[in-house]
Amino acid sequence: TSTDETESAGRIEETQDTASPTLESTTSTEPPATTSELRTLRTKAEAAASDEPTRDTSSTGGGSRYQRSSAIKKYVKARADGVCEACGDPAPFETPDGQPYLEAHHVDELGQGGKDHPDKVAAVCPTCHKRIHHGEDGDTLNEALRERLEQGLADVGVE
């Protein structure tokens, strides 16, 4: 678990020896951007979490889409503080309302039984998100992100 004074930050990088991502951890002495707000967002995200997200077929033209909690998305983006939780780079641009653009990524696909829970969702840049879903090393990158969540990233904002 993290404390008010310390936040675990990490970076998934490609090494020169292999084409697969590895995890490099660093520690910052700066607290997350407003710790009390992050705790409040985490509490709301946990309350909105679902082990079995609802499947919505009404607006997808016959396909299916799982309902995702906006509280979880808001929490993970605040937790990331404008930095991709996969590659460690700043968000590539800002939204029209001035927020860093990151996407919420479920490390366990909802369609495969994944949970809509803050412990299973990361904020990633669009490049990493597409790489995870469509890249040659996507499974490896997703696994490294899952491990980061399990090793404490998901605990940011937990009291």
Side-chain angles (χ1 to χ4, degrees), residues 57-114:
T57 58
S58 63
S59 63
T60 58
S64 67
R65 178 172 174 86
Y66 287 86
Q67 293 179 358
R68 294 157 171 85
S69 166
S70 61
I72 293 171
K73 182 164 68 169
K74 188 173 183 178
Y75 162 71
V76 299
K77 288 181 179 185
R79 178 184 72 201
D81 197 24
V83 176
C84 175
E85 292 180 324
C87 69
D89 288 342
F93 57 89
E94 291 184 353
T95 64
D97 64 350
Q99 297 300 309
Y101 183 83
L102 294 172
E103 299 174 351
H105 169 67
H106 291 75
V107 294
D108 299 319
E109 290 184 45
L110 299 181
Q112 301 296 318

